[in-house]
């Protein structure tokens, strides 16, 4: 295993090179997930042509006139899908200096009934710009492609710590809730605020990030310092989400990370893909031989985690998108049927 600015580089293709290579892959994955919670993934099979198709469509989207982007503003969607303007998203209560397009699985809207959980609002159609029809195909192809990569990676990761590879297969499948962001960081705000996106942990299972050559991603290490993650051509930066940390009682790490805005007049583009289970999935504790040595999970009273995945995602959406939340879900912000989710 090699390192890039202290992050391990893991070759997923080693799983197909025979028993010895797979054992080495498992040793690398085990170490990366237990000790760091972040790594660079190569050998994933996603081609340069596939990546180019997505990034070209993404750049074309952000080059559209403002009116075209604003026509699919997130505030028009009760499902939190669409375009978010620079500064309208929040992390840790502070604005993120970026704009983005949020995309999920293309499904009919599920308006929750009186006896249903409010997180079903998160299921629904995406918003697409009329002026760029190729974006829909490129983005949904990427969701499908990376769902396959993430499924394979999760199988190898679970096997690497002695757990059944398919332990969580029943909470993914056809009704999984993947999430894709197309993100542009337009450069520093000029007011001294360099928060591209504030320090946070992801709340799902796995995140696979495609970043361009500009850089700016930083990962908090055991020394308490945020270290740069230089871009590695052809690699995905992978990090574990809080649900995997909770499922393993802290044996696998979800790690704080952030993005520092690029210099003024410099754009940075990134594509995070979040591999998430069904909204109504209840996450069982993982059965694995190292469970007795797990250190436990550090509880954050300001960020409670719930057994059902959808409650965690809805909590995050209400915090991150206050304008959309206020327009469509005011009852949830004032308590309503979603207690403890208004912070």
């Amino acid at each position: 295993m090699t390192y890039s600015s202290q992050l391990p580089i893991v070759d997923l293709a080693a799983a197909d090179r025979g028993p010895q290579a797979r054992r080495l892959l498992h040793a690398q994955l085990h170490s990366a997930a237990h000790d760091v919670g972040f790594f660079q993934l190569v050998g994933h099979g996603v081609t340069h042509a596939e990546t180019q198709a997505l990034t070209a469509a993404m750049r074309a989207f952000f080059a559209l006139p403002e009116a075209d982007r604003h026509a699919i503003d997130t505030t028009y969607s009760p499902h939190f899908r669409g375009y978010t303007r620079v500064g309208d998203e929040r992390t840790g209560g502070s604005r993120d200096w970026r704009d983005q397009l949020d995309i999920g699985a293309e499904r009919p809207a599920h308006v929750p009934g009186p006896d249903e959980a409010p997180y079903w609002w998160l299921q629904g159609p995406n918003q697409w710009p009329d002026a760029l029809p190729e974006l829909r195909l490129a983005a949904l192809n990427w969701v499908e492609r990376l769902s396959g990569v993430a499924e394979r990676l999760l199988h190898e990761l679970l096997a690497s710590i002695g757990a059944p590879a398919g332990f969580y297969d029943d909470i993914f499948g056809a009704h999984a809730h993947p999430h894709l962001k197309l993100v542009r960081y337009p450069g520093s705000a000029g007011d001294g605020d360099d928060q591209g996106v504030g320090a946070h942990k992801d709340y799902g299972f796995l995140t696979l990030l495609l970043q361009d050559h500009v850089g700016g991603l930083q990962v908090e290490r055991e020394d308490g310092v945020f270290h740069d993650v230089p871009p590695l051509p052809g690699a995905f930066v992978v990090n574990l989400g809080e649900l995997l940390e909770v499922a393993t009682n802290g044996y696998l790490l979800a790690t704080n990370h952030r993005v520092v805005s690029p210099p003024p007049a410099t754009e940075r583009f990134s594509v995070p893909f979040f591999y998430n289970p069904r909204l109504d999935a209840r996450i069982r504790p993982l059965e694995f031989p190292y469970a007795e040595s797990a250190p436990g999970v550090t509880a954050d009273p300001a960020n409670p985690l719930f057994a059902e995945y959808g409650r965690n995602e809805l909590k995050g959406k209400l915090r991150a998108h206050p304008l959309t939340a206020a327009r469509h879900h005011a009852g949830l912000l004032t308590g309503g049927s979603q207690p403890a989710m208004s912070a």
Side-chain angles (χ1 to χ4, degrees), residues 179-243:
H179 180 204
L180 176 67
K181 286 179 179 278
L182 307 181
V183 185
R184 174 179 61 176
Y185 297 87
S188 298
D191 58 4
D193 184 359
D194 63 352
Q195 175 172 303
V197 60
H200 66 286
K201 298 178 181 180
D202 296 338
Y203 41 75
F205 264 66
L206 293 171
T207 303
L208 279 67
L209 171 72
L210 175 69
Q211 59 172 341
D212 68 8
H213 64 282
V214 174
L217 175 64
Q218 296 182 334
V219 173
E220 186 177 24
R221 296 301 309 275
E222 61 275 3
D223 58 7
V225 175
F226 281 88
H227 293 262
D228 291 329
V229 181
L232 181 65
F236 292 115
V237 182
V238 176
N239 66 277
L240 279 58
E242 290 176 307
L243 289 183

Side-chain angles (χ1 to χ4, degrees), residues 91-106:
T91 301
S94 299
R95 66 177 184 174
D96 294 327
W97 199 247
R98 63 178 183 174
D99 57 348
Q100 65 189 36
L101 184 64
D102 282 279
I103 299 162
E106 192 71 81

Side-chain angles (χ1 to χ4, degrees), residues 53-84:
L54 179 73
T55 55
M58 173 177 61
R59 288 176 178 270
F61 171 73
F62 287 109
L64 289 175
E66 281 191 0
D68 289 331
R69 285 179 276 128
H70 294 171
I72 58 169
D73 197 277
T74 312
T75 57
Y76 300 138
S77 169
H79 320 294
F80 296 90
R81 307 287 178 85
Y83 175 69
T84 301

